[in-house]
Amino acid sequence: NAKLKFNPYWMESSNASAALHSFLHARKYDVTELVNKYSQPIFVDKGTLTSPVRANEVTLDQIMVQSGMLSIREIADTPAAQSTATISTSPTKYKCEITNAEVASELSAIFTAHMANKDETAIYPMLQETQQAILSGDIELVCKSLNQLLNDSLYDVFDDKDAMQEKIYRTLFKMWLRSASVSTKDEVANSHGRCDLVAITKDTIYAFELKRVRYNTELTKTKTLNAAERQMVKNDYCNNLLKERKLVVWVVVVICDKYRQIVAWRTITKTKLSTGVHTERHEGMIEPIAVENQEPPTPKTSDQTARKTKTVRRKTADKTASNKGSNSAGGRKSTTAKASRSKTSRKGSSKGDKA
């Protein structure tokens, strides 16, 4: 009854991820800049792709194209170059994009592993949990899974400049939520404003608004959730995506600067019924992953102590059973003696009557 399925083949057979991981390991890159760069088309000169270079002079773009992670989509010569001939026989520039969803998913694991200084095998399960959570609509699990990934990110990923913090979170969430079944895009604008992040599944559009707080208090988080909801209602985020005929769900995510983790969330879904507009809300508070929140360890019993305890219990049980047996035998003897005395007494009474 085993079900057949197609597993990713190209990335596993080409060994491209290992080459890229090795290249990144030898150099220091800003992961958020890499994600932003390769989330959109890039333009590569012909000379960059074809000119021979030394091993220590190779560029990341060359690695990406030669490994097949970036594919050439079209010739992107300048208008001046195109005007010299109807068809360019020797193009000078190419427009390149991430090859497919499989490669995009693999890049997420490679970039995250590079950022966390870990192997990709340790990152895959966390990414899969996050992506499955968004597919099932479990926003609380999405937030907890994102916290695990944030917690594994090295401190130097986060910029000390306050204005950069939200961009970093937005970029990382865009990378971690993206998969073959989920497309992501940041800063999606309509005629009223611009929401931070959009994740689109088969039947749902999740519009995220990210908010940061300095202190992790119930009052602060509640006020922030309410303010963010008012902002989303005012700007009617993703109303320009309704033509896709998917349910739009607004999601507010509150991030605490102290922990660099999500501490609260809320979803708002508005639908039109015959009785009017129906608003459905769900929300929750997330406990940060911190030493102060760890539970005390459960006392463990050693094997030797367990064996001693078991032996004592067995001896106690045997002694109890023995005592019960003695008491039972003594009770029988006492009853026999009483019966004998009673019989003698009856005989004596009979003789006395006869006399």
Side-chain angles (χ1 to χ4, degrees):
N1 296 328
K3 294 183 178 179
L4 297 176
K5 63 177 182 179
F6 290 100
N7 285 325
Y9 171 76
W10 185 84
M11 289 299 298
E12 292 182 2
S13 61
S14 66
N15 205 31
S17 58
L20 180 59
H21 181 79
S22 176
F23 182 83
L24 293 174
H25 185 70
R27 294 160 178 80
K28 187 175 179 61
Y29 282 97
D30 186 328
V31 172
T32 57
E33 289 184 4
L34 291 180
V35 175
N36 283 329
K37 177 180 180 179
Y38 294 114
S39 295
Q40 52 194 343
I42 67 167
F43 297 90
V44 183
D45 293 331
K46 178 181 179 181
T48 302
L49 298 180
T50 59
S51 60
V53 294
R54 297 175 182 174
N56 61 345
E57 295 176 351
V58 68
T59 66
L60 182 57
D61 287 347
Q62 289 173 323
I63 291 287
M64 294 286 286
V65 174
Q66 296 297 335
S67 67
M69 291 189 173
L70 283 179
S71 292
I72 297 174
R73 299 301 187 192
E74 60 184 52
I75 297 172
D77 283 339
T78 61
Q82 292 177 353
S83 63
T84 59
T86 306
I87 300 177
S88 179
T89 56
S90 57
T92 59
K93 185 176 289 187
Y94 302 96
K95 177 183 177 182
C96 303
E97 289 181 311
I98 297 298
T99 302
N100 52 38
E102 179 192 341
V103 173
S105 180
E106 184 70 16
L107 278 177
S108 296
I110 294 172
F111 288 159
T112 305
H114 172 67
M115 179 178 63
N117 195 26
K118 290 188 173 183
D119 190 80
E120 290 95 285
T121 55
I123 301 300
Y124 289 136
M126 291 190 286
L127 288 176
Q128 289 174 354
E129 182 182 55
T130 307
Q131 293 156 6
Q132 287 298 321
I134 192 72
L135 285 172
S136 64
D138 190 340
I139 300 301
E140 181 175 14
L141 182 56
V142 168
C143 294
K144 290 181 177 179
S145 300
L146 290 174
N147 278 354
Q148 289 284 355
L149 289 163
L150 286 171
N151 202 44
D152 272 350
S153 304
L154 298 184
Y155 69 93
D156 55 358
V157 173
F158 300 92
D159 198 306
D160 291 333
K161 297 178 182 178
D162 189 71
M164 294 295 295
Q165 289 286 345
E166 187 174 303
K167 178 183 177 182
I168 292 171
Y169 290 117
R170 185 175 67 238
T171 302
L172 293 177
F173 292 171
K174 176 179 69 173
M175 174 176 66
W176 291 333
L177 290 172
R178 181 180 58 196
S179 69
S181 303
V182 183
S183 62
T184 57
K185 188 176 181 180
D186 58 349
E187 296 189 302
V188 178
N190 64 1
S191 59
H192 301 286
R194 182 173 58 192
C195 70
D196 292 319
L197 176 67
V198 169
I200 303 177
T201 67
K202 182 180 178 180
D203 52 14
T204 309
I205 298 173
Y206 295 97
F208 286 82
E209 181 63 29
L210 309 183
K211 294 297 182 184
R212 292 167 45 227
V213 295
R214 193 174 298 274
Y215 304 107
N216 186 32
T217 65
E218 295 290 326
L219 180 60
T220 301
K221 291 184 287 188
T222 301
K223 285 184 175 180
T224 305
L225 288 171
N226 293 337
E229 180 177 346
R230 289 193 296 270
Q231 177 184 336
M232 300 190 87
V233 171
K234 177 183 176 182
N235 294 328
D236 202 19
Y237 288 146
C238 291
N239 67 344
N240 54 332
L241 300 182
L242 291 174
K243 57 182 176 289
E244 297 190 17
R245 296 192 176 278
K246 297 181 179 183
L247 181 68
V248 174
V249 177
W250 292 334
V251 183
V252 181
V253 172
V254 180
I255 304 165
C256 180
D257 287 341
K258 175 183 177 181
Y259 299 102
R260 291 175 174 170
Q261 295 177 43
I262 299 170
V263 292
W265 62 274
R266 175 184 293 174
T267 61
I268 307 102
T269 308
K270 289 182 176 291
T271 52
K272 182 180 179 181
L273 303 178
S274 58
T275 55
V277 177
H278 172 70
T279 302
E280 183 177 342
R281 293 181 182 85
H282 299 279
E283 65 180 47
M285 304 295 172
I286 305 292
E287 186 177 77
I289 304 170
V291 173
E292 64 188 31
N293 292 329
Q294 68 177 333
E295 297 180 357
T298 304
K300 294 183 179 179
T301 304
S302 65
D303 293 341
Q304 186 176 0
T305 304
R307 285 195 296 270
K308 287 182 178 179
T309 304
K310 188 175 181 180
T311 302
V312 170
R313 288 177 179 172
R314 188 166 56 247
K315 289 181 177 179
T316 303
D318 293 343
K319 186 176 180 180
T320 303
S322 177
N323 290 338
K324 285 183 178 180
S326 299
N327 291 337
S328 178
R332 286 195 297 272
K333 290 179 180 178
S334 177
T335 303
T336 304
K338 286 181 180 179
S340 178
R341 286 195 298 270
S342 177
K343 186 175 180 180
T344 305
S345 176
R346 284 197 298 274
K347 287 182 179 179
S349 299
S350 298
K351 289 179 179 179
D353 291 340
K354 287 182 179 180

